[in-house]
């Protein structure tokens, strides 16, 4: 069941999951040591759902093993570039000698700085932007965001962030304060020195005066619905993206999904991230409605019925 749900999430993110033939679930094998960058032919068998995703977005251009995000002590991964300019990262087991190299045409790698939107995934997610304020459904989305934050010491794709977030979590007791600290750390732990000055707009309800009866969270989200980096040269796969936060979500969620499966945390991860996205974390009306449609069996009646205004 968890593998099917992870596949659903991957397809929604427009990423083609290329899983090892013998590793569709949680593996008991010890992680292999990282290897140097090497190009690999795409030679994994695809399920029909994955093939449909490929057909919808043309062809898979290239795949390679990279060690830029997951460091020693975590599994290897295969990175797949698709023609929409988004690169997926899926860990793989070592299969011996590498096949002949292929020429890549997409971004070379997802780098740690591409994970900058983990901060918004937590904060915007906790804002339950597309839910009716103070409703039962909004409360469930907020709780899910807190549970997602608690998973970060295990699931954040960058090792430095996992280590620093684990230290923060040990010293936190109040849930919302803990989430805010971890969200702040999601910028601080990256090598790009991200601050509010890095972007042309930032989600920050504390500095917003709402209008037309909207909440501070909704107003701030509307004002920062499409944040752009003033200089995106520090990014890797998401460099040049017209939707950099969405690209960052894709990069982070895909890697987190594998780590969740690897650590036996698939149910907890999906139970947290699905309500968060359904509650409006993407700040995209169409994206949210499509996600809800695909994941309706996982959503509570409160989340489904307490939908609020969207943009």
């Amino acid at each position: 069941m968890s593998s099917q749900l992870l596949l659903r999430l991957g397809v929604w993110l427009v990423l083609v999951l290329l899983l090892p033939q013998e590793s569709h679930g949680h593996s008991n094998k010890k992680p292999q040591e990282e290897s140097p960058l090497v190009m690999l032919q795409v030679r994994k068998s695809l399920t029909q759902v994955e093939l449909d995703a490929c057909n919808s977005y043309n062809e898979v251009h290239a795949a390679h093993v990279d060690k830029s995000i997951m460091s020693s002590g975590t599994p290897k991964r295969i990175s797949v570039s698709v023609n929409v300019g988004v690169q997926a990262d899926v860990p793989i087991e070592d299969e011996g000698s590498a096949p002949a190299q292929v020429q890549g045409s997409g971004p070379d790698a997802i780098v740690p700085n591409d994970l900058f939107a983990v901060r918004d995934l937590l904060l915007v997610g906790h804002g339950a932007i597309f839910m009716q304020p103070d409703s039962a459904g909004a409360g469930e989305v907020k709780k899910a965001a807190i549970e997602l934050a608690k998973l970060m010491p295990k699931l954040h794709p960058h090792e430095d962030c996992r280590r620093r977030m684990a230290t923060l979590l040990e010293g936190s007791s109040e849930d919302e304060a803990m989430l805010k600290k971890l969200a702040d750390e999601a910028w601080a732990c990256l090598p790009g020195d991200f601050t509010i000055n890095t972007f042309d707009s930032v989600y920050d309800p504390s500095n917003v005066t709402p209008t037309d009866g909207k909440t501070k969270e909704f107003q701030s989200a509307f004002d920062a619905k499409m944040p752009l980096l003033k200089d995106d040269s520090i990014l890797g796969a998401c460099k040049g993206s017209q939707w950099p936060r969405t690209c960052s979500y894709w990069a982070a969620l895909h890697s987190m999904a594998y780590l969740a499966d690897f650590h036996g945390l698939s149910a907890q991860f999906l139970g947290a991230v699905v309500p968060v996205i359904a509650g409006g974390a993407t700040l995209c009306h169409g994206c949210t409605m499509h996600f809800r449609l695909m994941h309706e069996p996982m959503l509570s009646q409160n989340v489904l019925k307490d939908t609020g205004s969207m943009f």
Side-chain angles (χ1 to χ4, degrees), residues 30-263:
K30 293 183 179 180
Q32 304 284 336
E33 290 297 319
E34 292 291 346
S35 63
L37 179 67
V38 59
M39 298 299 295
L40 293 179
Q41 293 175 336
V42 179
R43 55 191 175 90
K44 300 293 181 182
S45 60
L46 300 177
T47 68
Q48 187 59 51
V49 175
E50 293 166 339
L51 286 172
D52 289 343
C54 284
N55 291 335
S56 297
Y57 292 91
N58 296 328
E59 60 183 356
V60 175
H61 293 307
H64 67 270
V65 171
D66 186 11
K67 62 175 183 178
S68 61
I69 292 183
M70 297 187 183
S71 59
S72 179
T74 56
K76 294 178 182 179
R77 61 206 173 99
I78 189 167
S79 298
V80 181
S81 299
V82 295
N83 75 322
V84 291
V86 177
Q87 179 161 309
D89 287 41
V90 181
I92 60 172
E93 301 291 341
D94 184 48
E95 296 190 15
S97 60
Q101 293 186 351
V102 296
Q103 181 64 41
S105 60
D108 290 333
I110 294 174
V111 300
N113 283 337
D114 286 319
L115 306 171
F116 68 87
V118 171
R119 181 251 190 197
D120 280 10
L121 184 63
L122 299 178
L123 286 182
V124 178
H126 187 263
I129 308 302
F130 289 168
M131 303 299 297
Q132 296 177 25
D134 302 320
S135 64
E140 291 183 16
V141 171
K142 289 176 179 291
K143 182 178 179 181
I146 289 171
E147 294 306 311
L148 182 61
K150 291 178 180 179
L151 291 171
M152 288 301 98
K154 283 285 189 181
L155 302 188
H156 194 290
H158 188 43
E159 184 179 35
D160 284 349
C161 295
R162 294 195 298 272
R163 174 178 50 80
R164 293 171 60 162
M165 288 177 172
T167 301
L168 283 178
L169 192 59
E170 291 174 358
S172 299
S173 56
E174 202 276 322
D175 285 342
E176 291 191 18
M178 173 273 299
L179 180 141
K180 179 64 166 59
K181 289 180 180 179
L182 291 177
D184 290 342
E185 189 60 46
W187 274 357
C189 66
L190 298 177
D193 295 324
F194 291 92
T195 69
I196 59 174
N197 295 321
T198 306
F199 306 87
D200 63 358
S201 60
V202 171
Y203 176 76
D204 184 5
S206 66
N207 289 326
V208 168
T209 301
T211 59
D212 300 326
K214 302 300 183 183
T215 64
K216 288 185 175 182
E217 288 79 10
F218 188 94
Q219 186 66 54
S220 182
F222 183 82
D223 294 343
K225 60 184 177 181
M226 190 65 73
L228 299 176
L229 283 78
K230 296 177 181 178
D231 177 11
D232 70 354
S233 64
I234 60 176
L235 303 182
C238 295
K239 181 179 178 180
S241 173
Q242 295 182 7
W243 296 353
R245 177 167 55 195
T246 305
C247 179
S248 180
Y249 278 178
W250 288 336
L253 287 173
H254 202 79
S255 299
M256 287 181 192
Y258 176 78
L259 287 174
D261 201 34
F262 182 80
H263 289 297

